[in-house]
Amino acid sequence: MSAPAVRRVALVTGAARGIGAATTARLVEQGYHVVAFDWCVADGEPRLPYAQATQADLEQVARGANDRVVAVVGDVRDRAALQQAVEVAGRRWGRLDVAVAAAAVILGGQAAWETDPAAVELLWQIDVDGVWNTAASAVPAMLAGPDPSGCRFVAVASAAATHGLFHLAAYNAAKHAVVGIVKGLSADLVGTGTTAAAVSPGSTRTDMLTATAALYGQADVEDFGRSQRIHRLIEPDEIAATIAFCCSLEGGVVNGSLVQADGGFGA
């Protein structure tokens, strides 16, 4: 797809690695400017059993983008930090056209009734409140910008948004809520031209998938590919391509919708 005549501007959360990093790169390829946002927890999060992205990861995403990516360190649980990221887009490029809520974590490994309430709380704060905060910060800037009819909000859901996954009940609940946010947001946006959609990846080759394998005691993430009809793992750039379409002007038809980019897992 050729670059748009007007340089569009996007905010991507969870941009330091995985699907967020791939989405940032894809949007840059398509001519966007991007504010790449991630929490970059230097010492990790004690409630999460796997390493988190670092500031070096985030800076690597920005490096080589010909000044088209600005890296911003912040936590999606902090609405003020997200509002500041939106302001960065406005000060630097004068507009915000797209927001991609890709930041998320995964926890689980126990039956629902055995799950630590602290784990449920953390999943809700990041995976649900983080999406809510991203929308609440970005959408007003989109509506106040030069082209609300071309603005797009895209949240990254999961196959867990439509399926009950073993020992991941809290994560299931969080990702179902992400879809609910998108559907409600799309209803509130009727008449503005701005749209909202969710993309549900299947098993994608990311650090989160490695963490999921550990929850199930699996040594090889490739095993997850067997549950998808394409009989392989999905690559982050494949999901990024789907997200990028939803972000595009043409992607306005995907409104209030859940796009299942799961390789046939849910077919």
Side-chain angles (χ1 to χ4, degrees), residues 208-256:
M208 277 185 63
L209 188 66
T210 301
T212 305
L215 293 176
Y216 289 145
Q218 293 181 203
D220 188 358
V221 295
E222 302 295 335
D223 289 344
F224 287 111
R226 299 191 184 100
S227 63
Q228 299 176 155
R229 291 189 179 180
I230 56 175
H231 288 178
R232 62 171 177 83
L233 295 181
I234 300 165
E235 298 300 328
D237 189 58
E238 294 179 283
I239 302 300
T242 303
I243 293 171
F245 173 75
C246 293
C247 293
S248 69
L249 295 175
E250 299 88 342
V253 295
V254 185
N255 187 25

Side-chain angles (χ1 to χ4, degrees), residues 32-99:
Y32 288 73
H33 293 303
V34 181
V35 177
F37 185 94
D38 209 304
W39 66 343
C40 303
V41 185
D43 299 321
E45 157 58 57
R47 287 175 287 181
L48 293 171
Y50 62 103
Q52 298 302 295
T54 66
Q55 188 162 351
D57 293 327
L58 186 60
E59 290 171 353
Q60 180 61 38
V61 170
R63 193 173 296 121
N66 296 322
D67 295 324
R68 297 220 302 270
V69 175
V70 174
V72 175
V73 175
D75 192 327
V76 292
R77 293 174 292 183
D78 182 358
R79 188 179 296 189
L82 282 160
Q83 290 171 336
Q84 289 171 5
V86 169
E87 290 169 7
V88 167
R91 286 195 305 270
R92 181 130 184 182
W93 297 305
R95 60 193 292 150
L96 182 68
D97 303 278
V98 166

Side-chain angles (χ1 to χ4, degrees), residues 1 32 42 50 72 94 110 115 136 156 172 181 191 207 232 239 249:
M1 182 181 297
Y32 288 73
Y50 62 103
V72 175
Q110 304 85 29
T115 301
V156 178
N172 281 145
I181 290 171
D207 293 280
R232 62 171 177 83
I239 302 300
L249 295 175

